[in-house]
């Protein structure tokens, strides 16, 4: 049986640019790098950057990274100062900042977790919401 997320691979058209974005701006820890890729970590997440033609999602698909609430505003200010592209305005529970990486992959910085989202749904449920707990 599956037991969780193993790793996330994102295609990049410019490894130097993406490496700098994920390491210098988002704070990922570089583990190894080679001519066509890199392995980074962020907490327990293993992130692979792979040199391939990027074809980012054009729908709501995105990767969300967690951040402690007290660090949220400072990181958002730093990202805006760096000129990142914002692709969505937050309209759900918890603070969220939606940005694109240099290849156009949609990301989210979210100060919250599943439990805080579920708690908000108890007060304002989505249309057709069904609980399984």
């Amino acid at each position: 049986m599956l037991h969780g997320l193993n790793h996330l691979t994102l295609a990049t058209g410019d490894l130097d640019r993406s490496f700098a974005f994920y390491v210098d701006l988002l704070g990922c820890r570089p583990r190894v790098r080679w001519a066509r890729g890199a392995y980074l970590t962020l907490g327990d997440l293993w992130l692979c950057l792979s040199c391939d033609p990027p074809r980012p999602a054009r729908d709501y698909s995105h990767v969300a990274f967690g951040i402690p609430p007290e660090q949220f505003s400072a990181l958002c200010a730093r990202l805006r100062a760096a000129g990142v592209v914002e692709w969505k305005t937050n309209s759900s529970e918890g603070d969220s900042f939606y940005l694109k990486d240099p290849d156009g992959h949609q990301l989210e910085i979210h100060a919250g977790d599943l439990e805080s989202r579920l708690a908000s749904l108890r007060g304002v449920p989505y249309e057709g919401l069904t609980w399984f707990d």
Side-chain angles (χ1 to χ4, degrees):
M1 291 298 295
L2 299 177
H3 61 84
L5 183 64
N6 183 275
H7 69 278
L8 173 66
T9 298
L10 294 174
T12 180
D14 184 330
L15 183 59
D16 290 335
R17 182 183 65 190
S18 290
F19 188 89
F21 176 84
Y22 282 95
V23 172
D24 299 337
L25 274 180
L26 297 188
C28 291
R29 179 178 170 221
R31 301 303 300 268
V32 297
R33 182 175 169 163
W34 62 99
R36 299 199 40 82
Y39 290 152
L40 314 172
T41 56
L42 187 65
D44 291 333
L45 174 66
W46 165 19
L47 176 64
C48 174
L49 300 176
S50 179
C51 290
D52 289 291
R55 293 183 184 87
R58 291 193 177 100
D59 56 19
Y60 186 62
S61 299
H62 64 280
V63 176
F65 298 106
I67 188 169
E70 63 275 7
Q71 296 175 11
F72 180 79
S73 294
L75 179 59
C76 291
R78 194 171 109 198
L79 293 170
R80 285 185 176 113
V84 300
V85 174
E86 295 181 53
W87 64 275
K88 182 180 182 323
T89 301
N90 186 37
S91 61
S92 59
E93 169 276 331
D95 289 325
S96 286
F97 181 76
Y98 296 87
L99 66 149
K100 290 187 177 186
D101 80 357
D103 290 292
H105 298 292
Q106 296 175 159
L107 309 176
E108 174 186 359
I109 309 299
H110 183 71
D113 58 20
L114 178 59
E115 293 308 313
S116 63
R117 180 61 51 88
L118 294 176
S120 77
L121 292 175
R122 285 181 174 76
V124 182
Y126 296 150
E127 182 181 342
L129 183 76
T130 301
W131 291 93
F132 293 99
D133 296 326

